[in-house]
Coordinates of all heavy atoms in Angstrom, one line a residue:
M14 N 0.8 -1.2 0.1 CA 0.0 -0.1 0.0 C 0.9 1.3 0.0 O 1.8 1.3 0.8 CB -0.8 0.0 1.2 CG -2.0 1.1 1.2 SD -3.0 1.0 2.7 CE -4.1 -0.3 2.2
D15 N 0.6 2.2 -0.9 CA 1.5 3.3 -1.0 C 1.1 4.4 0.0 O 0.0 4.2 0.7 CB 1.5 3.9 -2.4 CG 0.1 4.4 -2.9 OD1 -0.9 4.0 -2.3 OD2 0.0 5.1 -3.9
D16 N 1.8 5.5 0.1 CA 1.6 6.5 1.1 C 0.2 7.2 1.0 O -0.4 7.5 1.9 CB 2.7 7.5 1.1 CG 4.0 7.0 1.7 OD1 3.9 6.0 2.4 OD2 5.1 7.5 1.3
A17 N -0.1 7.5 -0.3 CA -1.3 8.1 -0.6 C -2.5 7.4 -0.2 O -3.5 7.9 0.4 CB -1.4 8.5 -2.2
A18 N -2.5 6.1 -0.5 CA -3.7 5.2 -0.1 C -3.7 5.1 1.4 O -4.9 5.1 2.0 CB -3.4 3.8 -0.7
L19 N -2.6 5.1 2.1 CA -2.6 5.0 3.5 C -3.2 6.3 4.2 O -4.0 6.2 5.1 CB -1.3 4.8 4.0 CG -1.1 4.5 5.6 CD1 -2.0 3.3 6.0 CD2 0.3 4.3 5.9
E20 N -2.7 7.4 3.6 CA -3.2 8.7 4.1 C -4.7 8.9 3.8 O -5.5 9.5 4.6 CB -2.4 9.9 3.4 CG -2.7 11.2 4.0 CD -1.8 12.2 3.5 OE1 -0.9 12.0 2.7 OE2 -2.0 13.4 3.9
L21 N -5.1 8.4 2.7 CA -6.6 8.5 2.3 C -7.4 7.7 3.2 O -8.5 8.1 3.8 CB -6.8 8.0 0.9 CG -8.2 8.1 0.4 CD1 -8.8 9.5 0.4 CD2 -8.3 7.5 -1.0
Q22 N -6.9 6.5 3.6 CA -7.6 5.6 4.6 C -7.6 6.4 6.0 O -8.7 6.3 6.7 CB -6.8 4.3 4.8 CG -7.5 3.3 5.6 CD -6.7 2.1 5.8 OE1 -5.5 2.0 5.2 NE2 -7.3 1.0 6.3
K23 N -6.6 7.0 6.4 CA -6.5 7.7 7.6 C -7.6 8.9 7.7 O -8.3 9.1 8.7 CB -5.2 8.2 8.0 CG -4.2 7.1 8.5 CD -2.9 7.7 8.9 CE -2.0 6.6 9.2 NZ -0.6 7.2 9.5
L24 N -7.5 9.6 6.6 CA -8.6 10.8 6.4 C -9.9 10.3 6.4 O -10.8 10.9 7.2 CB -8.3 11.5 5.2 CG -6.9 12.4 5.2 CD1 -6.7 13.0 3.8 CD2 -7.0 13.4 6.3
D25 N -10.2 9.2 5.8 CA -11.6 8.6 5.8 C -12.1 8.2 7.1 O -13.2 8.4 7.6 CB -11.7 7.4 4.8 CG -11.8 7.9 3.3 OD1 -12.1 9.1 3.1 OD2 -11.3 7.1 2.5
A26 N -11.1 7.6 8.0 CA -11.5 7.1 9.3 C -11.8 8.4 10.1 O -12.7 8.4 11.0 CB -10.3 6.3 9.9
L27 N -10.9 9.4 10.0 CA -11.1 10.7 10.7 C -12.5 11.4 10.4 O -13.2 11.8 11.3 CB -10.0 11.6 10.5 CG -9.9 12.9 11.3 CD1 -9.9 12.6 12.8 CD2 -8.8 13.7 10.9
L28 N -12.7 11.4 9.1 CA -14.0 12.0 8.7 C -15.2 11.2 9.1 O -16.3 11.8 9.2 CB -13.9 12.3 7.1 CG -12.9 13.3 6.8 CD1 -12.8 13.5 5.2 CD2 -13.2 14.7 7.3
A29 N -15.1 9.9 9.2 CA -16.2 9.1 9.5 C -16.7 9.4 11.0 O -17.9 9.1 11.2 CB -15.8 7.6 9.5
K30 N -15.9 10.0 11.8 CA -16.3 10.3 13.2 C -17.4 11.4 13.2 O -18.1 11.6 14.1 CB -15.2 10.6 14.1 CG -14.4 9.4 14.2 CD -13.2 9.8 15.1 CE -12.3 8.5 15.3 NZ -11.1 8.7 16.2
G31 N -17.3 12.3 12.1 CA -18.3 13.3 12.1 C -17.8 14.7 12.2 O -16.7 14.9 12.8
K32 N -18.5 15.7 11.7 CA -18.0 17.0 11.6 C -18.0 17.6 13.0 O -17.0 18.2 13.4 CB -19.0 17.8 10.7 CG -18.7 19.3 10.6 CD -19.7 19.9 9.7 CE -19.6 21.3 9.4 NZ -20.6 21.9 8.4
W33 N -19.1 17.4 13.8 CA -19.1 18.1 15.1 C -18.1 17.5 16.1 O -17.6 18.1 16.9 CB -20.5 18.1 15.6 CG -21.3 19.0 14.9 CD1 -22.4 18.8 14.0 CD2 -21.2 20.5 14.9 NE1 -22.8 20.0 13.5 CE2 -22.2 21.1 14.1 CE3 -20.4 21.4 15.6 CZ2 -22.4 22.3 13.8 CZ3 -20.5 22.7 15.4 CH2 -21.5 23.2 14.5
Y34 N -18.0 16.1 15.9 CA -16.9 15.5 16.8 C -15.5 16.1 16.5 O -14.8 16.5 17.4 CB -16.9 14.1 16.5 CG -15.7 13.3 17.2 CD1 -15.9 12.8 18.4 CD2 -14.6 13.0 16.5 CE1 -14.8 12.3 19.1 CE2 -13.5 12.4 17.2 CZ -13.6 12.0 18.4 OH -12.6 11.4 19.1
F35 N -15.2 16.3 15.2 CA -14.0 16.8 14.8 C -13.8 18.3 15.3 O -12.7 18.6 15.8 CB -13.7 16.7 13.3 CG -12.5 17.2 12.8 CD1 -11.4 16.4 12.7 CD2 -12.3 18.6 12.4 CE1 -10.1 16.8 12.3 CE2 -11.0 19.0 12.1 CZ -10.0 18.2 11.9
I36 N -14.8 19.1 15.1 CA -14.7 20.5 15.6 C -14.5 20.6 17.0 O -13.8 21.3 17.5 CB -16.0 21.2 15.0 CG1 -16.0 21.4 13.5 CG2 -16.1 22.6 15.7 CD1 -17.1 22.0 12.9
L37 N -15.3 19.8 17.7 CA -15.2 19.9 19.2 C -14.0 19.3 19.8 O -13.4 19.9 20.7 CB -16.5 19.2 19.9 CG -17.9 19.9 19.6 CD1 -18.9 19.1 20.2 CD2 -17.8 21.3 20.3
V38 N -13.5 18.3 19.3 CA -12.3 17.7 19.8 C -11.1 18.4 19.4 O -10.3 18.8 20.2 CB -12.3 16.1 19.4 CG1 -10.9 15.5 19.9 CG2 -13.3 15.4 20.2
F39 N -11.0 18.5 18.0 CA -9.7 19.1 17.6 C -9.7 20.6 17.7 O -8.6 21.2 17.9 CB -9.4 18.7 16.1 CG -9.0 17.2 16.0 CD1 -10.0 16.2 15.7 CD2 -7.7 16.8 16.3 CE1 -9.5 14.9 15.6 CE2 -7.3 15.5 16.2 CZ -8.3 14.5 15.9
G40 N -10.8 21.3 17.5 CA -10.9 22.7 17.5 C -11.0 23.2 18.9 O -10.0 24.0 19.4
V41 N -12.1 22.8 19.6 CA -12.2 23.4 20.9 C -11.4 22.8 22.0 O -10.7 23.6 22.7 CB -13.8 23.2 21.4 CG1 -14.0 23.7 22.8 CG2 -14.7 23.9 20.4
L42 N -11.3 21.5 22.1 CA -10.5 20.8 23.1 C -8.9 21.0 22.9 O -8.3 21.5 23.8 CB -10.9 19.4 23.3 CG -12.2 19.1 23.9 CD1 -12.4 17.6 24.0 CD2 -12.3 19.8 25.3
Y43 N -8.5 20.5 21.8 CA -7.0 20.6 21.5 C -6.6 22.0 21.2 O -5.7 22.5 22.0 CB -6.7 19.7 20.4 CG -6.8 18.2 20.6 CD1 -6.9 17.2 19.6 CD2 -6.9 17.7 21.9 CE1 -6.9 15.9 19.9 CE2 -7.0 16.3 22.1 CZ -7.1 15.5 21.1 OH -7.2 14.1 21.3
W44 N -7.1 22.6 20.3 CA -6.5 24.0 19.9 C -7.1 25.0 20.9 O -6.2 25.8 21.4 CB -7.0 24.4 18.5 CG -6.3 25.6 18.1 CD1 -5.1 25.7 17.4 CD2 -6.9 27.0 18.2 NE1 -4.8 27.0 17.2 CE2 -5.9 27.8 17.7 CE3 -8.1 27.5 18.7 CZ2 -6.1 29.2 17.7 CZ3 -8.2 28.9 18.7 CH2 -7.3 29.7 18.2
G45 N -8.2 25.1 21.3 CA -8.8 26.0 22.1 C -8.2 26.0 23.5 O -7.8 27.0 24.0
M46 N -8.2 24.8 24.1 CA -7.8 24.7 25.5 C -6.2 24.9 25.6 O -5.7 25.6 26.5 CB -8.1 23.4 26.1 CG -9.6 23.2 26.2 SD -10.3 24.4 27.3 CE -12.0 24.0 27.2
L47 N -5.5 24.3 24.7 CA -4.0 24.5 24.7 C -3.6 25.9 24.4 O -2.7 26.5 25.2 CB -3.4 23.6 23.8 CG -3.4 22.1 24.1 CD1 -2.8 21.2 23.0 CD2 -2.6 21.8 25.5
T48 N -4.3 26.6 23.5 CA -4.0 28.0 23.2 C -4.3 28.8 24.4 O -3.6 29.7 24.8 CB -4.7 28.4 22.0 OG1 -4.4 27.6 20.9 CG2 -4.3 29.9 21.6
S49 N -5.4 28.6 25.1 CA -5.8 29.3 26.4 C -4.7 29.1 27.4 O -4.4 30.2 28.1 CB -7.1 28.7 26.9 OG -8.1 29.0 26.1
L50 N -4.2 28.0 27.6 CA -3.2 27.8 28.6 C -1.9 28.5 28.3 O -1.4 29.1 29.1 CB -2.9 26.2 28.7 CG -2.0 25.9 29.8 CD1 -2.4 26.3 31.1 CD2 -1.7 24.3 29.7
V51 N -1.5 28.5 27.0 CA -0.3 29.1 26.6 C -0.4 30.6 26.7 O 0.5 31.4 27.2 CB 0.1 28.7 25.1 CG1 1.2 29.6 24.6 CG2 0.5 27.2 25.1
V52 N -1.5 31.1 26.3 CA -1.8 32.6 26.3 C -1.8 33.1 27.8 O -1.3 34.2 28.1 CB -3.0 33.0 25.5 CG1 -3.5 34.4 25.8 CG2 -2.8 32.8 24.0
A53 N -2.4 32.3 28.6 CA -2.6 32.7 30.0 C -1.3 32.7 30.7 O -0.9 33.6 31.4 CB -3.5 31.7 30.8
L54 N -0.4 31.7 30.3 CA 1.0 31.7 30.9 C 1.8 32.9 30.4 O 2.5 33.6 31.1 CB 1.7 30.4 30.5 CG 1.3 29.2 31.3 CD1 2.0 27.9 30.6 CD2 1.8 29.4 32.7
I55 N 1.7 33.2 29.1 CA 2.4 34.4 28.6 C 1.9 35.7 29.3 O 2.7 36.5 29.6 CB 2.2 34.5 27.1 CG1 3.0 33.4 26.4 CG2 2.7 35.8 26.5 CD1 2.7 33.1 24.9
H56 N 0.6 35.9 29.4 CA 0.1 37.0 30.0 C 0.5 37.2 31.5 O 0.7 38.2 32.0 CB -1.5 37.1 29.9 CG -1.9 37.6 28.5 ND1 -3.0 38.3 28.3 CD2 -1.4 37.4 27.2 CE1 -3.2 38.6 27.0 NE2 -2.2 37.9 26.4
Y57 N 0.5 35.9 32.1 CA 0.9 36.0 33.6 C 2.3 36.4 33.7 O 2.6 37.2 34.6 CB 0.7 34.5 34.1 CG 1.4 34.3 35.4 CD1 0.8 34.9 36.6 CD2 2.5 33.6 35.6 CE1 1.3 34.6 37.8 CE2 3.1 33.3 36.8 CZ 2.6 33.9 37.9 OH 3.0 33.7 39.2
F58 N 3.2 36.0 32.8 CA 4.6 36.4 33.0 C 4.9 37.8 32.5 O 5.6 38.5 33.0 CB 5.5 35.5 32.2 CG 5.7 34.1 32.8 CD1 5.3 33.0 32.3 CD2 6.2 34.0 34.2 CE1 5.4 31.7 32.9 CE2 6.3 32.9 34.8 CZ 6.0 31.7 34.2
I59 N 4.1 38.3 31.5 CA 4.3 39.8 31.0 C 3.6 40.7 31.9 O 4.2 41.7 32.3 CB 3.8 39.8 29.6 CG1 4.7 39.0 28.6 CG2 3.6 41.2 29.2 CD1 4.2 38.9 27.2
S60 N 2.3 40.5 32.2 CA 1.5 41.5 33.0 C 1.6 41.4 34.5 O 1.4 42.3 35.2 CB 0.1 41.5 32.5 OG -0.6 40.3 32.9
G61 N 1.9 40.1 34.9 CA 1.9 39.9 36.4 C 0.6 39.7 37.1 O 0.5 39.6 38.3
D62 N -0.5 39.8 36.3 CA -1.8 39.5 36.8 C -1.9 38.0 37.3 O -1.1 37.1 36.8 CB -2.9 39.6 35.8 CG -3.1 41.1 35.5 OD1 -2.7 42.0 36.3 OD2 -3.7 41.4 34.4
P63 N -2.7 37.7 38.2 CA -2.8 36.2 38.7 C -3.1 35.3 37.6 O -4.0 35.7 36.6 CB -4.0 36.3 39.6 CG -4.1 37.7 40.1 CD -3.6 38.5 39.0
F64 N -2.4 34.2 37.6 CA -2.6 33.2 36.5 C -4.1 32.7 36.3 O -4.5 32.6 35.2 CB -1.7 31.9 36.8 CG -1.9 30.9 35.8 CD1 -1.4 30.9 34.6 CD2 -2.6 29.7 36.1 CE1 -1.6 29.8 33.6 CE2 -2.9 28.7 35.3 CZ -2.3 28.8 34.0
W65 N -4.8 32.5 37.4 CA -6.1 32.0 37.2 C -7.1 33.0 36.7 O -8.0 32.7 35.9 CB -6.6 31.5 38.6 CG -5.8 30.5 39.2 CD1 -5.0 30.5 40.3 CD2 -5.7 29.2 38.6 NE1 -4.4 29.4 40.4 CE2 -4.8 28.5 39.4 CE3 -6.2 28.5 37.5 CZ2 -4.4 27.1 39.2 CZ3 -5.9 27.2 37.3 CH2 -4.9 26.6 38.1
V66 N -6.8 34.3 36.8 CA -7.6 35.3 36.2 C -7.3 35.4 34.7 O -8.2 35.5 33.9 CB -7.3 36.8 36.8 CG1 -7.8 37.8 36.0 CG2 -7.7 36.8 38.2
E67 N -6.1 35.3 34.3 CA -5.7 35.2 32.9 C -6.2 34.0 32.2 O -6.7 34.0 31.1 CB -4.2 35.2 32.8 CG -3.5 36.5 33.2 CD -3.9 37.8 32.3 OE1 -4.4 37.5 31.2 OE2 -3.8 38.9 32.9
L68 N -6.2 32.8 32.9 CA -6.7 31.6 32.4 C -8.2 31.7 32.2 O -8.7 31.3 31.1 CB -6.4 30.4 33.3 CG -6.7 29.0 32.7 CD1 -6.1 28.7 31.4 CD2 -6.4 27.9 33.7
Q69 N -8.9 32.2 33.1 CA -10.4 32.4 33.0 C -10.7 33.3 31.8 O -11.6 32.9 31.0 CB -10.9 33.0 34.3 CG -12.4 33.1 34.3 CD -12.9 33.7 35.6 OE1 -12.2 34.2 36.4 NE2 -14.2 33.6 35.8
R70 N -10.0 34.3 31.6 CA -10.2 35.2 30.6 C -10.0 34.5 29.2 O -10.7 34.6 28.2 CB -9.3 36.4 30.6 CG -9.7 37.5 29.6 CD -8.8 38.8 29.9 NE -8.9 39.1 31.2 CZ -7.8 39.7 31.8 NH1 -6.7 39.9 31.2 NH2 -7.8 40.1 33.1
A71 N -8.9 33.8 29.1 CA -8.4 33.0 27.9 C -9.5 31.9 27.6 O -9.7 31.7 26.4 CB -7.1 32.5 28.1
L72 N -10.1 31.2 28.7 CA -11.0 30.2 28.4 C -12.3 30.6 27.9 O -13.1 29.9 27.3 CB -11.2 29.3 29.7 CG -10.1 28.5 30.0 CD1 -10.3 27.8 31.4 CD2 -9.9 27.4 29.1
Y73 N -12.5 31.9 27.9 CA -13.7 32.5 27.2 C -13.5 32.8 25.8 O -14.4 32.6 25.0 CB -14.2 33.8 27.8 CG -14.9 33.6 29.2 CD1 -14.3 34.2 30.3 CD2 -16.1 33.0 29.3 CE1 -15.0 34.0 31.6 CE2 -16.7 32.8 30.5 CZ -16.1 33.4 31.6 OH -16.8 33.2 32.8
I74 N -12.3 33.1 25.4 CA -12.0 33.6 24.0 C -11.6 32.5 23.1 O -12.2 32.2 22.1 CB -10.9 34.6 24.1 CG1 -11.3 35.9 24.9 CG2 -10.5 35.0 22.7 CD1 -10.3 36.8 25.2
Y75 N -10.6 31.7 23.5 CA -9.9 30.7 22.6 C -10.7 29.5 22.2 O -10.6 28.9 21.1 CB -8.5 30.4 23.1 CG -7.7 31.6 23.0 CD1 -7.4 32.4 24.1 CD2 -7.2 32.1 21.7 CE1 -6.6 33.5 24.1 CE2 -6.5 33.3 21.7 CZ -6.2 34.0 22.9 OH -5.5 35.1 22.7
P76 N -11.5 28.9 23.2 CA -12.3 27.8 22.7 C -13.4 28.2 21.7 O -13.8 27.4 20.9 CB -13.0 27.3 24.0 CG -11.9 27.7 25.1 CD -11.4 28.9 24.6
I77 N -13.9 29.5 21.8 CA -14.7 29.9 20.7 C -14.1 30.0 19.5 O -14.7 29.7 18.5 CB -15.4 31.3 21.1 CG1 -16.4 31.1 22.4 CG2 -16.2 31.9 20.0 CD1 -16.9 32.4 23.0
G78 N -12.9 30.5 19.5 CA -12.0 30.6 18.3 C -11.7 29.2 17.8 O -11.5 28.9 16.6
G79 N -11.7 28.2 18.7 CA -11.4 26.8 18.3 C -12.6 26.2 17.5 O -12.3 25.4 16.6
I80 N -13.8 26.8 17.6 CA -14.8 26.3 16.8 C -14.5 26.7 15.3 O -14.6 25.9 14.4 CB -16.2 27.0 17.1 CG1 -16.6 26.4 18.6 CG2 -17.2 26.6 16.2 CD1 -17.7 27.1 19.2
L81 N -14.0 28.0 15.1 CA -13.7 28.3 13.8 C -12.5 27.6 13.3 O -12.4 27.3 12.1 CB -13.4 29.9 13.8 CG -14.6 30.8 14.0 CD1 -14.2 32.2 14.2 CD2 -15.7 30.6 12.9
F82 N -11.5 27.5 14.1 CA -10.3 26.6 13.7 C -10.7 25.2 13.3 O -10.3 24.7 12.3 CB -9.3 26.6 14.9 CG -8.1 25.8 14.6 CD1 -7.0 26.3 13.9 CD2 -8.0 24.5 15.0 CE1 -5.9 25.5 13.6 CE2 -6.9 23.7 14.7 CZ -5.8 24.2 14.0
G83 N -11.6 24.6 14.1 CA -11.9 23.2 13.8 C -12.8 23.1 12.6 O -12.5 22.2 11.7
W84 N -13.6 24.1 12.3 CA -14.3 24.1 11.0 C -13.4 24.3 9.8 O -13.5 23.7 8.8 CB -15.4 25.2 11.1 CG -16.1 25.3 9.7 CD1 -17.1 24.5 9.3 CD2 -15.9 26.2 8.6 NE1 -17.5 24.9 8.0 CE2 -16.8 26.0 7.7 CE3 -15.0 27.3 8.6 CZ2 -16.8 26.7 6.5 CZ3 -15.0 28.1 7.3 CH2 -15.9 27.7 6.4
F85 N -12.5 25.2 9.9 CA -11.5 25.4 8.8 C -10.7 24.1 8.7 O -10.4 23.8 7.4 CB -10.6 26.7 9.2 CG -9.6 27.0 8.2 CD1 -9.9 27.5 7.0 CD2 -8.2 26.6 8.4 CE1 -9.0 27.8 6.0 CE2 -7.3 26.9 7.4 CZ -7.6 27.5 6.2
A86 N -10.2 23.5 9.7 CA -9.4 22.3 9.5 C -10.3 21.2 8.9 O -9.8 20.4 8.1 CB -8.9 21.8 10.9
W87 N -11.6 21.2 9.2 CA -12.5 20.2 8.6 C -12.6 20.4 7.1 O -12.5 19.5 6.3 CB -13.9 20.3 9.3 CG -14.9 19.5 8.7 CD1 -15.9 19.8 7.8 CD2 -15.2 18.1 9.0 NE1 -16.6 18.8 7.5 CE2 -16.3 17.6 8.2 CE3 -14.5 17.1 9.8 CZ2 -16.8 16.4 8.2 CZ3 -15.1 15.9 9.9 CH2 -16.2 15.5 9.1
V88 N -12.7 21.6 6.7 CA -12.8 21.9 5.3 C -11.5 21.5 4.6 O -11.5 21.0 3.5 CB -13.2 23.4 5.0 CG1 -13.0 23.8 3.6 CG2 -14.6 23.7 5.6
Q89 N -10.4 21.8 5.2 CA -9.0 21.5 4.6 C -8.9 20.0 4.4 O -8.3 19.5 3.4 CB -8.0 22.1 5.4 CG -7.8 23.6 5.4 CD -7.6 24.1 4.0 OE1 -6.9 23.7 3.2 NE2 -8.5 25.2 3.7
I90 N -9.3 19.2 5.4 CA -9.2 17.8 5.4 C -10.1 17.2 4.2 O -9.7 16.3 3.5 CB -9.5 17.2 6.7 CG1 -8.4 17.4 7.7 CG2 -9.8 15.7 6.6 CD1 -8.7 17.0 9.1
H91 N -11.2 17.8 4.1 CA -12.1 17.4 2.9 C -11.4 17.6 1.6 O -11.5 16.8 0.6 CB -13.4 18.1 2.9 CG -14.5 17.4 3.7 ND1 -15.2 16.2 3.2 CD2 -15.0 17.5 5.0 CE1 -16.0 15.8 4.1 NE2 -15.9 16.5 5.2
R92 N -10.9 18.8 1.5 CA -10.1 19.1 0.2 C -8.9 18.2 -0.1 O -8.6 17.7 -1.1 CB -9.6 20.5 0.3 CG -10.7 21.6 0.1 CD -10.2 23.0 0.2 NE -11.2 24.0 0.2 CZ -11.1 25.2 0.4 NH1 -9.9 25.7 0.7 NH2 -12.1 26.0 0.3
K93 N -8.2 17.9 1.0 CA -7.1 17.0 0.9 C -7.6 15.6 0.6 O -7.0 14.9 -0.5 CB -6.3 17.0 2.2 CG -5.0 16.2 2.1 CD -4.2 16.3 3.5 CE -2.9 15.8 3.4 NZ -2.1 16.0 4.6
R94 N -8.7 15.2 1.1 CA -9.1 13.8 0.8 C -9.7 13.8 -0.7 O -9.4 12.9 -1.4 CB -10.3 13.5 1.7 CG -10.9 12.0 1.4 CD -12.2 11.8 2.0 NE -13.2 12.8 1.6 CZ -14.3 12.7 1.9 NH1 -14.8 11.8 2.8 NH2 -15.3 13.6 1.4
D95 N -10.3 14.9 -1.1 CA -10.8 14.9 -2.5 C -9.6 14.9 -3.5 O -9.7 14.3 -4.6 CB -11.6 16.2 -2.8 CG -12.9 16.1 -2.1 OD1 -13.3 14.9 -1.5 OD2 -13.5 17.1 -1.8
K96 N -8.4 15.5 -3.2 CA -7.2 15.5 -4.0 C -6.7 14.2 -4.1 O -6.3 13.7 -5.2 CB -6.2 16.6 -3.5 CG -6.4 18.0 -3.9 CD -5.2 18.8 -3.4 CE -5.4 20.3 -3.8 NZ -4.2 21.0 -3.3
L97 N -6.6 13.5 -3.0 CA -6.1 12.2 -3.0 C -6.9 11.2 -3.7 O -6.5 10.3 -4.4 CB -5.9 11.7 -1.5 CG -4.7 12.3 -0.8 CD1 -4.8 11.9 0.7 CD2 -3.5 12.0 -1.3
R98 N -8.2 11.4 -3.6 CA -9.2 10.4 -4.4 C -9.1 10.8 -5.9 O -9.2 9.8 -6.7 CB -10.6 10.7 -4.0 CG -10.9 10.0 -2.7 CD -12.4 10.1 -2.4 NE -12.7 9.3 -1.2 CZ -13.9 9.3 -0.6 NH1 -14.8 10.1 -1.1 NH2 -14.1 8.7 0.5
A99 N -8.8 12.0 -6.3 CA -8.6 12.3 -7.7 C -7.3 11.7 -8.3 O -7.3 11.6 -9.6 CB -8.7 13.8 -7.9
Q100 N -6.4 11.4 -7.5 CA -5.1 10.9 -8.1 C -5.3 9.5 -8.6 O -5.9 8.6 -8.2 CB -4.0 10.9 -7.0 CG -3.6 12.3 -6.7 CD -2.5 12.2 -5.6 OE1 -2.2 11.3 -5.0 NE2 -1.9 13.4 -5.4

């Protein structure tokens, strides 16, 4: 099995879980939560505000942005799968 076929198989398995699963897990949980943590740490060290205050603020903003990130990634994965199928 060549690399393209293996990648296509992985993409199909990922897409089979569904759009909302992908957006919530990869967008909100992975990207949104990790970005919130990183941004809160950066703001904590730069501004000196309490870490928990910075984390609370970040947890309102970045998981919402994670919805957009997850949707954009979903669209990109569909395009990549379509290109691989066309080959």
Side-chain angles (χ1 to χ4, degrees):
M14 188 179 281
D15 63 342
D16 290 337
L19 184 60
E20 188 172 1
L21 182 61
Q22 185 179 12
K23 287 180 183 179
L24 289 175
D25 283 336
L27 184 61
L28 293 174
K30 292 180 180 180
K32 179 180 182 178
W33 288 110
Y34 172 85
F35 183 85
I36 290 173
L37 290 176
V38 170
F39 290 98
V41 175
L42 289 179
Y43 290 161
W44 187 86
M46 296 299 179
L47 288 174
T48 303
S49 295
L50 184 62
V51 170
V52 168
L54 282 170
I55 291 170
H56 282 213
Y57 169 71
F58 288 120
I59 290 174
S60 69
D62 289 339
F64 173 73
W65 299 110
V66 172
E67 294 294 338
L68 183 62
Q69 184 180 13
R70 190 176 311 144
L72 284 173
Y73 284 116
I74 298 168
Y75 294 101
I77 293 170
I80 294 170
L81 294 173
F82 176 83
W84 176 77
F85 180 74
W87 175 262
V88 171
Q89 293 300 316
I90 287 175
H91 269 282
R92 287 181 184 166
K93 189 173 186 177
R94 184 192 62 178
D95 292 342
K96 277 186 182 179
L97 287 173
R98 282 188 177 171
Q100 290 179 351

